Amino acid sequence: MKDQFSEETKKLKKQYARTFHNDGLIDFFIGWALVSAGIYLYTNLMIFSFLGWMPILLVLPLKQRFVIPRFGYVKFSKPTKIPRGILIAAGLVLVIGSLLVALLSGESGFSTPIAVAVLGIALLLSIEVGLNRVTVYAVFVPLFFILGLGYSLLTPAAVILTGLVLMLLGIYLFLKFIQKYPADDEEEEEEEEDLS
Amino acid sequence: MTDSDPLDPRKISDIDRLIHSPTRLKILLVLMSVEEADFTFISNAAELTRGNLSANLSKLKEAGYIKIEKKFIDRVPKTIASISEKGEQALEAYSNLLGAILDELRK
């Protein structure tokens, strides 16, 4: 019973962590980075490689401005750990899948569907298995570039399209989050005063 | 029926009534799952109105099951709650007793 109870609280913690990070900010900025990388691949202008990654620094201030006042402040004792087996399996699926497609197609014309398919696998994993999307992106983005460039599958259009999909996903999740958790009224804050 | 029988009426009376309320149980479960959280988070996670939450947090605080303190988070003052050791023990004891009763009923 004790073990089951502890398992249930772990599940709850994981659920809260997932909701807390389901604001779409990470998705939007990863998408932004991919769009910038795509433009960089197309134009070779260094400014786009900086423009891609620098806005990632905005995630924390935006979280403090929009997410914490709505969803509330929480400190999770330990970061949610993803079982090593699942991470390895996810990585293997991406690597083997990409290798197979690359070997079977051998044509650069397949690059856009491959890019979107790899992104689809990553997102499905995050939704179905309950993986933290940040971890999924950490696996997906390097593999996307390493395999894409290594096998000459990556075109600027594929990178930009993938980035746009992620940006749209980010905007959708952010709007959904704002709608679900409206900003607090000042009057309600007064109730907190009585407690401390 | 023996003293250790979970269906013994005296044992059932041992159920902690403070935790046996769905509202307070939800609050304790939220706080058991995280290290600390503010009023807004608990209200969202436990799906409780702020008035209901406030009243029940006071009861849990009085019983020593939770700790409430004022903290500055990113320069903003917040009312932060966390479960106490006494609260953890009480929740575990409640879960064990209720589990034993339900197990016995299912036999």
Side-chain angles (χ1 to χ4, degrees):
Chain A
M1 188 75 194
K2 192 180 172 181
D3 288 344
Q4 197 189 338
F5 184 66
S6 153
E7 277 305 306
E8 290 304 315
T9 52
K10 271 186 201 162
K11 270 190 216 166
L12 269 177
K13 184 173 158 182
K14 203 172 170 181
Q15 184 192 320
Y16 298 146
R18 224 181 298 151
T19 313
F20 187 68
H21 295 297
N22 211 22
D23 50 28
L25 290 174
I26 286 284
D27 309 76
F28 179 84
F29 285 113
I30 295 280
W32 175 284
L34 286 177
V35 169
S36 301
I39 298 173
Y40 168 67
L41 285 174
Y42 190 69
T43 59
N44 270 330
L45 289 171
M46 275 305 280
I47 183 87
F48 286 105
S49 67
F50 289 111
L51 270 180
W53 294 106
M54 282 178 74
I56 292 279
L57 299 172
L58 292 173
V59 171
L60 206 61
L62 285 173
K63 216 161 179 84
Q64 282 164 359
R65 172 74 183 82
F66 293 103
V67 178
I68 291 172
R70 287 175 159 82
F71 191 66
Y73 159 81
V74 60
K75 186 173 173 188
F76 299 104
S77 49
K78 286 174 196 161
T80 314
K81 282 187 180 169
I82 296 164
R84 210 167 154 232
I86 293 176
L87 272 181
I88 293 169
L92 281 176
V93 166
L94 290 175
V95 175
I96 296 169
S98 306
L99 283 174
L100 277 176
V101 175
L103 286 172
L104 289 174
S105 68
E107 288 174 38
S108 58
F110 282 90
S111 57
T112 304
I114 290 169
V116 178
V118 172
L119 172 67
I121 292 169
L123 290 176
L124 274 177
L125 271 171
S126 83
I127 295 160
E128 291 304 314
V129 190
L131 286 181
N132 187 334
R133 280 202 312 288
V134 179
T135 315
V136 172
Y137 291 145
V139 176
F140 159 72
V141 175
L143 273 177
F144 180 75
F145 279 98
I146 292 165
L147 293 173
L149 292 171
Y151 289 92
S152 307
L153 294 167
L154 219 57
T155 62
V159 181
I160 292 170
L161 182 72
T162 312
L164 284 174
V165 171
L166 283 183
M167 282 175 80
L168 285 174
L169 176 72
I171 292 168
Y172 169 73
L173 288 174
F174 185 73
L175 292 175
K176 218 172 118 187
F177 190 91
I178 298 281
Q179 205 176 19
K180 189 170 178 188
Y181 302 105
D184 280 337
D185 292 336
E186 274 182 29
E187 277 176 34
E188 288 175 335
E189 299 287 336
E190 284 169 19
E191 280 167 11
E192 290 180 46
E193 299 296 324
D194 307 333
L195 284 167
S196 48
Chain B
M1 195 174 282
T2 61
D3 270 358
S4 59
D5 189 342
L7 293 180
D8 180 338
R10 283 167 295 175
K11 286 271 173 200
I12 295 176
S13 301
D14 284 346
I15 286 182
D16 190 332
R17 283 163 197 274
L18 198 71
I19 301 180
H20 202 55
S21 122
T23 304
R24 289 189 288 273
L25 184 59
K26 279 199 277 186
I27 296 170
L28 284 177
L29 282 174
V30 170
L31 292 177
M32 185 79 177
S33 315
V34 301
E35 197 176 308
E36 58 180 30
D38 75 353
F39 206 80
T40 310
F41 178 84
I42 304 168
S43 157
N44 280 322
E47 295 179 352
L48 297 170
T49 61
R50 299 181 76 94
N52 196 4
L53 174 64
S54 183
N56 284 289
L57 278 178
S58 297
K59 284 181 187 163
L60 290 168
K61 187 191 170 193
E62 275 167 32
Y65 286 179
I66 61 167
K67 290 179 275 183
I68 291 176
E69 53 191 326
K70 205 91 178 170
K71 274 188 184 176
F72 279 87
I73 310 289
D74 300 316
R75 284 167 286 172
V76 179
K78 293 219 176 265
T79 310
I80 305 291
S82 59
I83 194 162
S84 66
E85 210 179 311
K86 189 181 172 187
E88 277 184 25
Q89 285 166 357
L91 190 58
E92 209 172 297
Y94 170 80
S95 141
N96 289 338
L97 181 57
L98 201 65
I101 292 169
L102 293 174
D103 285 346
E104 197 63 31
L105 283 172
R106 285 190 199 110
K107 276 183 190 170

